[in-house]
Amino acid sequence: MLNIHALSVAYGDKKVLEEISFNVQPGEILALIGPNGAGKTTLIRTVSGTLPISMGQVVVSGQNLAHLKVAERAKVLAVVPQARQMGGAYTVEQAVMMGRTAYMGWLGRESERDFEAVSLALKQTQLEDFAHRQVAQLSGGEQQRVLLARALAQSTPVLLLDEPTNHLDLQHQASLLSLVKQLTREENLAVLMAIHDLNLVSLFADKVALLVDGELRKFGTPQEVLQAAHISEAYQTQVDVVAHPLTGAPLIFPRDMLDTRE
C-alpha cells in the first residue's frame, strides 16, 4: 500500500502542496486530477523522491521512503514519465534492462533473474517482437509501452505515472490504460497516475483525488468526485456530466463546447 500522510512541499517560501493525505490500495488505480498548476506533477515527483518533502511522509508497505537509499527506493516504487520522443541507440531490451539497475551488483552485470524480469516485462507489454529494435525507431505509443515495461522490470509494488497518455492518439491512450488496469489487477499493484483527460479517468480509475491550488479538494470514486459542481468549481468552467450509455460511468462535457454547436 502507498500511504501519503500530511504531505507538504514548498519552493522557497511558496507552498505548492499543503497537507495532502490519502492511500492507494494494492490492485487499485488512483487518478490525480486538477487544473494546470494544481500540483499533480509536483506530487508525483515528490512521492518519487525527485523533490524534497517539507512536511509529512510517504510510506510504502510500512517503509518511510525518506529513510531509504536510492537503490532501496527503486525496489518499492517505479515511475513511468510523460511520453516523449526517446532518442539514443538503445534497443528496447536494453532500455527495459535499465529498470533492473538497482538489483545489479557493483560490476553492473545482468543476472539470470534480471533477464527473466525483462523478458516478463516485454511479454506483459507486448513488446517481445520489438526487443532488438532501436527505441528511437518506434512510434510514440510503442515508446510509452517501453517506459511502462522498464518500470515493470523494477518489480515494485507501486507504480507512479505522470501524464502517460500525453502526445498519444486515442487508440494508444485506450490501449495503454487498458494494459495498466489489467496489470494492476493481475500483479496487485498500487498505481498513482496524474492525468488530464477526465473521461479517461472515469473509465479507468478506481479512485480520484482532485487537487486545486496544492490542496486536496475531493477524494473518492469517479462517481463521487466527477460531479458537475465539483469539476465546474475546480476548473472554473461550467460542465455537464452524463452517464456512459454502456457502463454508467460519468462523462464530462464543457458547456461552452455544447453551446457552440450549430
Side-chain angles (χ1 to χ4, degrees):
M1 178 174 68
L2 172 64
N3 176 265
I4 297 171
H5 178 68
L7 186 67
S8 295
V9 177
Y11 294 141
D13 295 331
K14 181 182 178 182
K15 277 193 174 182
V16 290
L17 292 176
E18 188 162 5
E19 296 191 8
I20 305 295
S21 296
F22 57 78
N23 297 329
V24 188
Q25 302 291 340
E28 179 178 84
I29 297 175
L30 192 153
L32 289 174
I33 66 170
N36 290 337
K40 302 185 296 297
T41 293
T42 297
L43 181 54
I44 292 289
R45 294 178 65 192
T46 303
V47 173
S48 72
T50 305
L51 294 177
I53 297 173
S54 300
M55 293 179 60
Q57 59 183 3
V58 179
V59 177
V60 176
S61 302
Q63 301 180 85
N64 188 332
L65 295 191
H67 299 159
L68 300 182
K69 296 179 180 179
V70 173
E72 294 172 330
R73 184 193 299 263
K75 294 180 181 180
V76 297
L77 184 150
V79 181
V80 180
Q82 293 186 27
R84 294 189 179 94
Q85 187 66 27
M86 298 171 64
Y90 295 110
T91 66
V92 169
E93 184 178 49
Q94 290 171 333
V96 176
M97 183 62 77
M98 293 177 187
R100 299 297 299 172
T101 302
Y103 298 90
M104 296 179 188
W106 65 276
L107 291 176
R109 292 178 178 171
E110 303 92 340
S111 67
E112 182 178 350
R113 188 172 181 179
D114 294 324
F115 282 109
E116 289 175 352
V118 169
S119 178
L120 176 59
L122 291 173
K123 181 178 180 180
Q124 289 173 321
T125 53
Q126 301 172 1
L127 288 170
E128 293 170 294
D129 293 340
F130 297 84
H132 302 297
R133 289 182 58 181
Q134 289 188 351
V135 175
Q137 297 174 345
L138 304 183
S139 69
E142 291 164 347
Q143 289 190 8
Q144 191 63 36
R145 278 194 284 151
V146 173
L147 294 174
L148 176 58
R150 185 181 68 184
L152 292 172
Q154 286 182 232
S155 304
T156 65
V158 175
L159 275 184
L160 307 179
L161 296 96
D162 184 15
E163 302 290 354
T165 58
N166 269 12
H167 314 301
L168 298 185
D169 61 26
L170 185 61
Q171 175 191 358
H172 287 108
Q173 288 178 356
S175 175
L176 181 74
L177 292 182
S178 294
L179 177 58
V180 169
K181 190 163 189 173
Q182 176 187 342
L183 294 171
T184 300
R185 302 294 195 260
E186 292 177 352
E187 304 297 325
N188 210 30
L189 303 174
V191 175
L192 178 62
M193 175 174 63
I195 188 166
H196 272 298
D197 192 315
L198 301 183
N199 290 323
L200 290 177
V201 170
S202 176
L203 295 173
F204 291 100
D206 301 296
K207 295 287 180 59
V208 183
L210 172 59
L211 298 181
V212 180
D213 295 329
E215 298 180 355
L216 181 60
R217 293 289 177 86
K218 298 293 177 181
F219 181 86
T221 65
Q223 287 78 9
E224 292 169 335
V225 177
L226 300 180
Q227 297 184 20
H230 302 332
I231 300 303
S232 295
E233 179 181 3
Y235 289 82
Q236 295 295 293
T237 187
Q238 293 300 307
V239 302
D240 291 302
V241 178
V242 300
H244 190 286
L246 298 179
T247 67
L251 298 178
I252 296 91
F253 298 94
R255 192 167 294 174
D256 289 347
M257 181 187 299
L258 300 178
D259 289 344
T260 56
R261 293 188 305 172
E262 293 182 0

